[in-house]
Amino acid sequence: MTQGNRLGEAISPYLQQHRDNPVHWREWSAEAMAEARREDKPILLSVGYAACHWCHVMAHESFENAGVAAIMNRDFVNIKVDREERPDIDHLYMTALQAMGEQGGWPMTMFLTPEGEPFYGGTYYPPEAAQGRPGFAQLLEAVRNAWDTKREGLLRSAGEMRTHLRGFLSASGAPADLPEGALEEAAGRIGGMIDLELGGIKGAPKFPNAPYLELLARSGFPGGPEAHRAGFLVTLRGLCEGGIFDHVGGGLHRYATDARWLVPHFEKMLYDQAQLLRHLTIGWRATGEPLFRQRAFETVAFLRRELQMPGGGLAASLDADSAAAHGPASGAPMEEGAFYVWTEGEIDAALAGLPEIETFKRCYNVTPRGNWEGKTILERLGGSGEAAPEAFGEARIRLFQARAARPRPGRDEKILADWNGLAIRALAEVGAAFHHPDALLLAREVFHFVTTQMMREGRLHHAARDGRLSGPALSGDYGAMIAAGAALFAATLDPQFLHTAHALAEALERWHGDGEGGHFMTASDADDMLLRPRSDPDEAVPGSTALVVEGLALLAQVGGRQAIRTRAERAAALAQGRIGAGGMAYPGLLAGFDRLQRGSELALFGFRSNPGYGAVEAMVRGHVDLNRVDLVLNDPDRLPETLALSALRPERYPAVTLCRNQTCHPPVFEPEALRSLLEGGTAAS
């Protein structure tokens, strides 16, 4: 029997957290499957991630327990997976878990045959039986007994599940057009779920639900239902003012446990920051509200300060838990949110001598009793109106300095290509909209890291840490990075970004194409999966198929190559053939369809010194159309020859033209003509 815990050399910080468990953990591999076959044992698969609170709880209760570990080591081959490092494995077995009638979540606990076929599963299990759930050791004994005495039935059930998964996750389908009004119908249903007083989906807990929010904005701007615009904006304000946003250090927590955005689950994920930045840009362009600009700048600063790694890439997350702020740096108990919450006494001490201390406490709801478990989560939901969002600069600096002395939350330092791609695109859009040079510089640095340090022989990899790479990229990595390159080109007109995006598009087809115009999540040479899944549904971020469609569609807009647009249309049509009428589960794909159907390209020609330039630029920025790509330039020769806009030579500046379906309107020069062009372009859609 092979002994020992083998996670010591893992790239994933989550797996490294389990390197000292008495459990004989293995990383996911063909070798681990072979060990299970050789020893005739079922596989216990445990999936989680570094910032997952309940993953830590189960680890402490069960995986650090010598008695539980002894059962696991005797009866199972134990495999630990970081869902962020291997989202394909997580997607496959989470789909199986839900098909078994269980509610998904993490940690995910699955039992597999030595061939990797799932036959039983769940999520968190307590150490002792509680609330109708078996204790973990009790469960282990029951599964092993069933394996020994009822194996034929388990294998039959596992085989049926494999067939179901192949049909659900890997099957092809005939291409189909998006049903008439599908986006409007889905947006209407989302709009009906929005809490128009507090924002977000009605009730608790409240997640940002970024793909839903994106679809609401697409429907509402520029001239859609006012209720959809209102739902988008009230949600965005809730995210900006609630305790879900870190008012001292910037950045968005993962979700709120209540209905008011007050009490967050304190982990911070890179993908949330990326999607928030894009939505803040939309909100500011639509309203000009200083709140959205301020939160965008604070989030950019957070990314630079807290998540950027040496070399340029962005780390995946910050943990929810840290050592208790009042305890010693070592040996203190780990508490959720300890780094972020305050007592009134701590606030008073940090802000002593500031004349605005009482106003600060009123605006941020600081009271002797606190607003959460006797402590205060800083928030502006009630008193934000009496001070501008950028107010209290000195107070927040003092609190930041006081907080810096506390034990910090752990950081998951692996760099993920898809999440970094989402962040690059968002930073490029922030840089262009706000004329924010550091956002653009950060976008360039991150893009350079991913496309140099995470590429080998022209092939992208999914994760990197400490100079090491994990396995090959997934299709979503390519989609997100294609969009990142396209967005950076739109923001800078630097041709290197366009060139790299096209190279990534070719690599996507080589490694992930299914031969019909669609894409599998895993690469063609993947040899450690039960099957090659697609990834059509969205989770907290758009699924891989949506990222591919959006990336290719955006690249076609900025590069003008019809072949790329044809690929995007084919991938979208095949996806529609697979998903049928279930658009609500696929808002990312609906957004990609929307871009393909209503996309347009606008060029603003001129110099800032030109009379009237500022008014023209402000009108362009204020007319929000999520399907329009804006290119700001003074030299038409900087555009690719394949782009229809490149043929235009305005006789004077400033000038604006709008192209749709490779047909361009003549340039306009005056604000009224520009307003008519923008509104006409919308109406024509």
Side-chain angles (χ1 to χ4, degrees), residues 569-598:
E569 290 172 336
R570 178 68 177 177
L574 287 167
Q576 180 58 44
R578 293 193 298 272
I579 69 176
M584 274 288 288
Y586 309 90
L589 273 171
L590 290 177
F593 266 110
D594 195 40
R595 181 174 297 282
L596 287 168
Q597 292 178 349
R598 302 195 297 170

Side-chain angles (χ1 to χ4, degrees), residues 530-549:
L530 183 66
L531 51 88
R532 288 181 73 195
R534 305 182 192 275
S535 179
D536 294 336
D538 298 331
E539 295 181 357
V541 298
S544 291
T545 304
L547 290 173
V548 165
V549 171

Side-chain angles (χ1 to χ4, degrees), residues 182-194 215-216 219 225 228 584:
L183 185 143
E184 292 77 10
E185 179 185 355
R189 292 175 64 187
I190 294 169
M193 298 161 59
I194 294 292
L215 206 62
L216 207 60
S219 172
H228 293 180
M584 274 288 288

Side-chain angles (χ1 to χ4, degrees), residues 5-10 15-16 19 468:
N5 184 313
R6 296 185 181 178
L7 301 184
E9 298 301 316
L15 268 58
Q16 287 286 343
R19 64 182 296 176
R468 299 171 60 204

Side-chain angles (χ1 to χ4, degrees), residues 324-326 335 337-338 340-344 346 365-378 406:
H326 298 286
E335 294 181 5
Y340 299 102
V341 300
W342 304 84
T343 65
E344 185 182 37
E346 289 170 331
N365 193 23
V366 180
T367 66
R369 298 179 61 184
N371 56 18
W372 180 64
E373 298 183 357
K375 304 287 183 66
T376 291
I377 300 167
L378 297 179
R406 299 175 176 178

Side-chain angles (χ1 to χ4, degrees), residues 603-643:
L604 167 57
F605 297 97
F607 298 87
R608 295 193 182 284
S609 58
N610 295 139
Y613 183 92
V616 168
E617 182 187 39
M619 187 174 292
V620 169
R621 298 291 188 209
H623 187 272
V624 177
D625 181 347
L626 275 66
N627 294 310
R628 195 184 74 219
V629 170
D630 294 341
L631 303 166
V632 179
L633 66 158
N634 51 49
D635 181 3
D637 289 336
R638 299 186 67 187
L639 296 174
E641 293 182 358
T642 48
L643 199 62

Side-chain angles (χ1 to χ4, degrees), residues 306-493:
E306 303 284 347
L307 293 188
Q308 190 174 29
M309 299 296 296
L314 296 171
S317 65
L318 295 181
D319 208 334
D321 300 348
S322 58
H326 298 286
S330 61
M334 300 293 284
E335 294 181 5
E336 185 179 1
F339 184 71
Y340 299 102
V341 300
W342 304 84
T343 65
E344 185 182 37
E346 289 170 331
I347 298 286
D348 289 340
L351 305 187
L354 285 183
E356 65 267 29
I357 182 171
E358 293 303 322
T359 307
F360 177 91
K361 288 163 64 174
R362 187 166 57 251
C363 283
Y364 286 91
N365 193 23
V366 180
T367 66
R369 298 179 61 184
N371 56 18
W372 180 64
E373 298 183 357
K375 304 287 183 66
T376 291
I377 300 167
L378 297 179
E379 50 92 357
R380 291 168 53 100
L381 292 166
S384 61
E386 66 179 291
E390 68 273 16
F392 307 114
E394 175 63 24
R396 287 187 293 122
I397 289 172
R398 288 196 188 186
L399 292 175
F400 181 85
Q401 292 170 341
R403 197 174 76 174
R406 299 175 176 178
R408 300 188 64 80
R411 180 170 68 176
D412 185 334
E413 296 185 346
K414 69 177 178 294
I415 299 165
L416 301 171
D418 52 350
W419 294 7
N420 274 254
L422 294 173
I424 294 163
R425 179 183 180 184
L427 288 163
E429 293 179 0
V430 167
F434 295 105
H435 304 301
H436 191 319
D438 193 55
L440 275 180
L441 177 60
L442 183 56
R444 285 177 176 270
E445 292 169 355
V446 180
F447 190 84
H448 177 76
F449 179 88
V450 176
T451 56
T452 58
Q453 303 307 304
M454 297 180 70
M455 297 281 285
R456 292 290 185 273
E457 299 179 351
R459 187 173 187 181
L460 186 63
H461 287 251
H462 175 64
R465 180 170 175 263
D466 291 339
R468 299 171 60 204
L469 297 178
S470 70
L474 305 168
S475 58
D477 296 311
Y478 283 103
M481 285 301 299
I482 290 166
L488 263 174
F489 174 75
T492 67
L493 298 180

